[in-house]
């Protein structure tokens, strides 16, 4: 006879292990199981990334014996779905009693109590096999073929993709692991920007394409070794076309998701100098030829070549920027980055409005360094798809290091610096991943 009670279980995973199956089996004794499949966007909030897309996950869960129905859960909060389905039970592993999801648990208990539902928690099984499996999955998630497509998938599933710069393994760990709670959501960065400015600054060198490609690759490798999120490389001007067609293949092969090249030529200087220094923009023809040449040698569909337009930086104007955007997209660019060093985002918004009229589906990236007061919501509302916080980890690390150095010198002792500017040795040891 059919059991009339219903049980809701929410899933953020695509690799079903024996721990899940045990819980599903036990839950099926309570009633018919409705599985809520979390969307990519919800899973990304909790700093994870499914290996297969949501359609595939729906198929996988639909085919499990004890699951009678599958629905999509598109918020981290269960509020909407519980009020809609009113299940008799919610079943979850007891791991969320103390982890970052404990506030979601509290909310579930409250909603269930409003209509007489019940939360049932089964012990979360940690054993060697599962720990090893999780470890393997983590490593797999950072492999080139798995990491590379993540950016395109995020662009499909999120209003705006949020990227923070990383210039070392350590800053990569911060980009990878930092999660904060904002209201009913968890927030983490979607990926990393390997900035030419920060990579050069880290080495004590100016941002003039002096740090060579081999060295840039070595920074990426260091970051990749300890992270799994997608990487966007700041490819400077891309260099000579004859070199670019080799370098872009290397970047694609190692699992970078996108390279952004800027339409400057000659001795490139940092864009935030603007017209204070002499910088030359490339011709539309040359730069379009570089884009087309780069696209021709790529072999995967998931790698993106994004063209960066410097017309606003060089004060040549919106019309030129739009003309270039048109040419670069026609030359094969998978996305456009529009850069500005104005204190307000107005000209970037103007560009976005016009650009999106013509190319609604081409991703648009921005770097709000000088107009940093702008919010992600405002950017998304103006059709911008990628926001890059291009230099904030190195800019915040520098004053902390300088203060420590000054304090040790001034006091002839490290005790003040230790207390005021340093994390404990225990904490610094704790952030490093277990191998
Ligand atoms: C970088 O981060 O190196 C960039 C962005 O290219 S900007 O510094 O604003 O030019
Ligand atoms: Mg740069």
């Amino acid at each position: 006879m059919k059991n009339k009670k219903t049980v809701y279980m929410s899933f953020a995973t695509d690799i079903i292990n024996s721990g899940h199956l045990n819980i599903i089996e036990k839950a099926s004794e309570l009633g018919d199981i409705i599985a809520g499949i979390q969307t990519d966007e919800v899973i990304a909030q909790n700093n994870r990334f499914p290996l297969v897309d949501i359609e595939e996950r729906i198929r996988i869960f639909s085919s499990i014996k004890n699951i009678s129905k599958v629905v999509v859960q598109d918020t981290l909060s269960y509020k909407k779905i519980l009020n809609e389905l009113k299940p008799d039970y919610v079943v979850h592993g007891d791991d969320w009693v103390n982890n970052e999801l404990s506030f979601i648990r509290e909310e579930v208990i409250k909603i269930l109590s409003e209509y007489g539902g019940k939360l049932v928690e089964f012990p979360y099984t940690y054993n060697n096999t599962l720990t090893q499996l999780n470890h393997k999955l983590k490593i797999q998630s950072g492999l080139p073929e798995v990491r590379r497509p993540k950016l395109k998938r995020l662009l499909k599933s999120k209003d705006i993709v949020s990227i923070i710069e990383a210039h070392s393994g350590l800053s990569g760990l911060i980009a990878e692991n930092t999660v904060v709670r904002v209201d009913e959501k968890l927030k983490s960065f979607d990926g990393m920007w390997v900035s030419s400015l920060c990579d050069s600054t880290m080495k004590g060198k100016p941002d003039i394409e002096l740090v060579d490609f081999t060295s840039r690759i070595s920074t990426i490798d260091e970051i990749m070794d300890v992270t799994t999120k997608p990487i966007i490389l700041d490819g400077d001007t891309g260099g000579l076309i004859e070199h670019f067609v080799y370098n872009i293949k290397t970047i694609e092969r190692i699992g970078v998701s996108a390279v952004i090249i800027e339409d400057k030529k000659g001795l490139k200087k940092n864009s935030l100098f603007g017209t204070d220094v002499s910088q030359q923009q490339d011709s539309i023809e040359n730069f379009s030829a570089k884009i087309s040449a780069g696209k021709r040698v790529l072999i995967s569909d998931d790698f993106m070549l994004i063209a960066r337009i410097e017309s606003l930086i060089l004060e040549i104007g919106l019309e030129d920027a739009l003309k270039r955007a048109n040419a670069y997209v026609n030359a094969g660019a998978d996305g456009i980055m529009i850069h500005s060093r104005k204190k307000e985002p107005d000209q970037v918004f103007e560009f976005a409005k016009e650009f999106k009229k013509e190319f609604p589906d081409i991703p648009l990236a921005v770097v709000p360094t000088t107009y940093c007061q702008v919010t992600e919501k405002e950017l998304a509302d103006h059709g911008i798809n990628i926001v890059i916080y291009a230099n904030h980890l190195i800019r915040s690390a520098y004053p902390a290091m300088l203060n420590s150095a000054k304090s040790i010198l001034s006091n002839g002792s490290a005790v003040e610096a230790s207390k005021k500017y340093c994390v404990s040795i225990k904490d610094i040891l704790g952030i490093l991943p277990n191998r």
Side-chain angles (χ1 to χ4, degrees):
M1 198 182 77
K2 195 174 179 309
N3 196 332
K4 289 280 174 346
K5 299 250 185 217
T6 52
V7 181
Y8 184 70
M9 296 181 75
S10 175
F11 291 94
T13 187
D14 46 3
I15 304 291
I16 302 167
N17 59 42
S18 55
H20 299 120
L21 290 177
N22 289 341
I23 294 189
I24 291 172
E25 201 169 312
K26 279 202 233 164
S28 71
E29 290 165 13
L30 297 168
D32 289 347
I33 300 177
I34 304 172
I37 309 303
Q38 296 182 13
T39 56
D40 282 7
E41 197 268 335
V42 173
I43 298 173
Q45 278 185 45
N46 201 9
N47 235 356
R48 277 182 278 172
F49 207 96
L51 292 172
V52 297
D53 61 24
I54 185 148
E55 286 78 23
E56 189 76 11
R57 298 203 298 282
I58 291 172
R59 282 195 63 190
I60 294 170
F61 277 92
S62 304
S63 66
I64 294 179
K65 187 176 73 187
N66 286 318
I67 289 179
S68 35
K69 188 174 160 189
V70 168
V71 294
V72 172
Q73 182 176 331
D74 62 5
T75 53
L76 190 62
S77 162
Y78 288 39
K79 197 191 284 171
K80 195 171 79 178
I81 217 143
L82 293 188
N83 284 331
E84 212 174 283
L85 300 173
K86 297 259 171 7
D88 299 292
Y89 300 100
V90 168
V91 166
H92 202 282
D94 65 359
D95 52 322
W96 70 345
V97 175
N98 289 317
N99 73 12
E100 65 288 346
L101 292 174
S102 60
F103 73 101
I104 297 287
R105 175 179 181 266
E106 296 301 317
E107 191 191 50
V108 166
I109 293 173
K110 189 172 158 280
I111 299 165
L112 288 171
S113 75
E114 284 163 10
Y115 69 87
K118 199 165 170 265
L119 173 65
V120 177
E121 290 168 327
F122 293 123
Y124 193 80
T125 36
Y126 288 105
N127 60 36
N128 260 351
T129 322
L130 288 188
T131 312
Q132 265 178 24
L133 184 65
N134 283 338
H135 182 65
K136 262 198 206 162
L137 284 176
K138 178 93 184 153
I139 293 177
Q140 199 178 349
S141 183
L143 292 178
E145 291 301 312
V146 184
R147 187 194 298 250
R148 196 191 305 111
K150 288 180 180 176
L151 180 63
K152 270 203 173 171
R153 278 184 55 195
L154 283 163
L155 282 166
K156 269 201 215 152
S157 70
K158 296 198 71 177
D159 287 343
I160 188 157
V161 171
S162 167
I163 303 286
I164 182 97
E165 70 96 353
H167 51 265
S168 61
L170 183 61
S171 55
L173 284 174
I174 292 176
E176 176 91 0
N177 296 329
T178 307
V179 183
V180 296
R181 181 182 154 191
V182 184
D183 304 324
E184 290 185 343
K185 287 188 164 192
L186 290 175
K187 280 196 77 184
S188 51
F189 290 105
D190 295 311
M192 293 159 283
W193 164 246
V194 179
S195 146
S196 68
L197 171 65
C198 301
D199 206 354
S200 308
T201 304
M202 193 60 193
K203 293 169 174 57
K205 299 267 168 71
D207 181 18
I208 51 171
E209 296 188 275
L210 175 63
V211 175
D212 68 13
F213 184 71
T214 309
S215 177
R216 304 289 312 279
I217 292 292
S218 145
T219 303
I220 296 173
D221 187 47
E222 200 179 293
I223 295 167
M224 284 183 159
D225 215 12
V226 293
T227 64
T228 61
K229 290 188 174 177
I231 291 178
I232 303 180
L233 173 65
D234 173 0
D236 283 319
T237 65
L240 295 172
I241 293 187
E242 293 81 349
H243 295 173
F244 183 57
V245 289
Y246 286 93
N247 291 341
I248 194 169
K249 273 170 44 180
T250 307
I251 301 163
E252 178 190 35
R253 175 176 56 75
I254 64 174
V256 167
S257 301
V259 64
I260 300 187
I261 53 169
E262 62 194 273
D263 57 0
K264 292 212 290 253
K265 65 174 185 181
L267 181 62
K268 185 222 87 152
K269 313 256 177 67
N270 184 272
S271 297
L272 300 175
F273 284 125
T275 49
D276 303 345
V277 295
S278 120
Q279 318 207 40
Q280 259 192 305
Q281 200 170 17
D282 203 350
S283 71
I284 295 184
E285 294 67 35
N286 279 345
F287 199 67
S288 299
K290 197 181 281 185
I291 293 166
S292 301
K295 282 296 290 180
R296 266 199 300 277
V297 298
L298 294 172
I299 52 160
S300 60
D301 285 338
D302 42 38
F303 181 88
M304 299 174 74
L305 168 52
I306 299 176
R308 162 170 165 179
I309 297 170
E310 294 286 289
S311 309
L312 304 181
I313 290 287
L314 301 170
E315 295 179 12
I316 296 164
L318 184 65
E319 209 173 303
D320 183 74
L322 287 165
K323 190 165 137 200
R324 284 173 178 269
N326 199 303
Y328 300 163
V329 172
N330 286 325
D334 303 294
I336 292 290
M337 173 182 144
I338 184 69
H339 203 9
S340 160
R341 64 174 195 131
K342 288 273 190 273
K343 292 212 156 56
E344 299 296 330
D346 306 19
Q347 59 170 196
V348 165
F349 290 165
E350 263 178 78
F351 177 90
K353 189 172 158 211
E354 295 305 317
F355 176 72
K356 285 286 168 170
K357 267 188 210 159
E358 188 135 358
F359 301 109
D361 300 328
I362 300 284
L364 180 60
V366 298
V367 178
T369 299
T370 52
Y371 54 99
C372 58
Q373 72 283 10
V374 77
T375 64
E376 290 178 6
K377 165 114 187 26
E378 286 172 295
L379 294 172
D381 287 348
H382 284 85
I384 289 151
N385 311 92
I386 304 177
V387 55
I388 301 176
Y389 301 102
N391 42 52
H392 298 81
L393 294 187
I394 204 160
R395 277 171 61 208
S396 51
Y398 177 73
M401 292 195 285
L402 192 61
N403 282 332
S404 252
K406 282 182 179 171
S407 170
I408 294 170
L409 282 176
S410 308
N411 295 296
S413 152
V415 67
E416 284 82 4
S418 256
K419 279 193 203 140
K420 215 167 156 186
Y421 304 116
C422 302
V423 294
S424 68
I425 293 294
K426 182 170 164 276
D427 285 349
I428 201 85
L429 293 176
I431 64 163
L432 300 179
N434 288 326
R435 289 275 159 183

